[in-house]
């Protein structure tokens, strides 16, 4: 049995700009989910530290874990903020749209053949 690999009709193709927006939204959703998970860990640790009636060594370990998660969350948030600020400024968006445009232009150019020959007429 052979599989039909004919291209999608143009009406069904997703424009490059829609693909880019989907990618941006996916990145935003991933970043938000990571932030939610990190804050949930921080909240859990804060409750554990607050209710901790154990040794100072155990409390120090919990505080160290809290600090590690907070530092990681801060670094991730900073990277996400820089990424989305770049999008806002149009740097990444322009670059991606330009790349998609050139890929489209190159694909069109590959489908057509143009022959250039030097002119035999000279002007004096």
């Amino acid at each position: 049995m052979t599989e039909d690999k004919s291209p999608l009709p143009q009406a069904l193709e997703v424009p490059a700009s829609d693909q880019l927006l989907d990618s941006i939204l996916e990145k935003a959703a991933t970043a938000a989910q990571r932030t939610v998970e990190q804050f949930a860990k921080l909240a859990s640790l804060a409750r554990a530290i607050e209710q901790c009636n154990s040794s100072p060594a155990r409390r120090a370990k919990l505080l160290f874990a809290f600090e590690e998660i907070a530092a990681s969350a801060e670094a991730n948030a900073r990277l996400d903020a820089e990424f989305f600020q770049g999008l806002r400024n149009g740097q990444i968006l322009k670059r991606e749209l330009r790349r998609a445009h050139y890929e489209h232009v190159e694909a069109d150019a590959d489908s057509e053949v143009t022959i250039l020959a030097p002119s035999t007429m000279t002007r004096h």
Side-chain angles (χ1 to χ4, degrees):
M1 189 180 253
T2 61
E3 192 174 312
D4 183 21
K5 296 204 178 197
S6 58
L8 289 173
Q10 281 188 329
L12 297 178
E13 289 182 12
V14 178
S17 59
D18 287 353
Q19 290 176 351
L20 178 60
L21 288 174
D22 284 344
S23 174
I24 292 167
L25 291 174
E26 183 178 341
K27 170 76 172 160
T30 301
Q33 184 60 39
R34 184 177 56 242
T35 301
V36 166
E37 290 168 4
Q38 288 175 324
F39 277 111
K41 287 178 184 178
L42 289 173
S44 176
L45 274 171
R47 286 189 296 274
I49 291 168
E50 183 180 65
Q51 297 169 358
C52 186
N53 293 328
S54 61
S55 70
R58 172 77 175 137
R59 184 170 269 205
K61 284 181 184 179
L62 290 173
L63 285 171
F64 181 75
F66 189 92
E67 185 179 4
E68 281 186 324
I69 293 170
S72 175
E74 180 184 15
N76 287 334
R78 183 168 286 127
L79 288 174
D80 292 338
E82 288 173 4
F83 174 81
F84 289 110
Q85 186 64 36
L87 283 176
R88 183 172 176 257
N89 293 338
Q91 297 164 356
I92 294 171
L93 185 61
K94 287 177 187 174
R95 183 173 49 229
E96 289 297 316
L97 287 174
R98 194 170 27 249
R99 182 185 56 78
H101 172 74
Y102 287 126
E103 286 175 358
H104 180 70
V105 168
E106 287 175 0
D108 287 347
D110 289 343
S111 64
E112 297 177 12
V113 176
T114 304
I115 299 174
L116 297 176
S119 174
T120 56
M121 297 179 63
T122 57
R123 211 181 259 182
H124 294 278

